[in-house]
Amino acid sequence: MSIGKLLFDETYQLNMLIRFRNYISDKKIRFVPLIIKFLIYRIGHCYIHINAKLGKVKIAHPLGIVIGAGVEVGNNVTMYQGVNLVGKGGGKKGYPKVEDDVIIYADAKIIGNVTIGKGSIIGANAVVLHDVPPNSLAIGFPAKIKKQDEQQE
């Protein structure tokens, strides 16, 4: 790790803050997650609710990302700019769950109580309103499944 990357690369700083947030959230220290939430917003211009459960994620371009309160994100998940992982609102319960090894491309919206299966890819500008099976490609508005692995586990 170079000092230049630590001081000047906002994406690197954001990913380190998210890892620190994940570490500190288990420690039951109440004010530190709020400070980290503020720093994530100021550095990356994205909103990640303090109650969202994030695994090891990589946010490639953080601008405009929104992750709601009840969202669960697995490990090795990559997100690009403008991704929204949010509940339906209107008093309805349910937030997205993103399993491991998923890629979510720019401006994709995942709304409500849906599960994105392991190894899936969500295309740019897709609006996902229903579950996506593992190892699938979801594209379009509303999202349609275009490819699925032949092997079923």
Side-chain angles (χ1 to χ4, degrees), residues 2-125:
S2 70
I3 296 296
K5 193 171 200 173
L6 182 62
L7 293 176
F8 301 111
D9 187 348
E10 292 90 359
T11 302
Y12 181 79
Q13 293 168 354
L14 179 70
N15 284 305
M16 290 297 106
L17 275 172
I18 290 171
R19 288 184 185 179
F20 181 65
R21 174 200 174 276
N22 291 344
Y23 171 78
I24 205 74
S25 65
D26 296 335
K27 306 297 181 209
K28 307 293 184 210
I29 302 171
R30 302 206 39 95
F31 69 93
V32 175
L34 294 173
I35 294 169
I36 294 171
K37 176 184 163 187
F38 172 77
L39 290 173
I40 287 172
Y41 181 75
R42 296 303 293 172
I43 291 171
H45 305 287
C46 61
Y47 175 81
I48 301 173
H49 196 280
I50 60 172
N51 292 333
K53 294 178 177 72
L54 302 178
K56 187 177 178 185
V57 299
K58 178 185 175 198
I59 297 181
H61 305 287
L63 187 65
I65 290 177
V66 176
I67 300 177
V71 174
E72 296 179 28
V73 179
N75 292 316
N76 300 319
V77 173
T78 302
M79 289 183 242
Y80 291 87
Q81 70 273 11
V83 167
N84 288 310
L85 304 172
V86 295
K88 281 191 176 179
K92 296 179 182 176
K93 300 281 183 185
Y95 285 88
K97 179 180 180 186
V98 180
E99 295 180 351
D100 298 342
D101 305 315
V102 172
I103 300 173
I104 306 172
Y105 284 103
D107 295 313
K109 315 298 183 227
I110 302 173
I111 302 170
N113 189 18
V114 298
T115 300
I116 308 301
K118 182 177 179 174
S120 292
I121 298 172
I122 308 300
N125 294 310

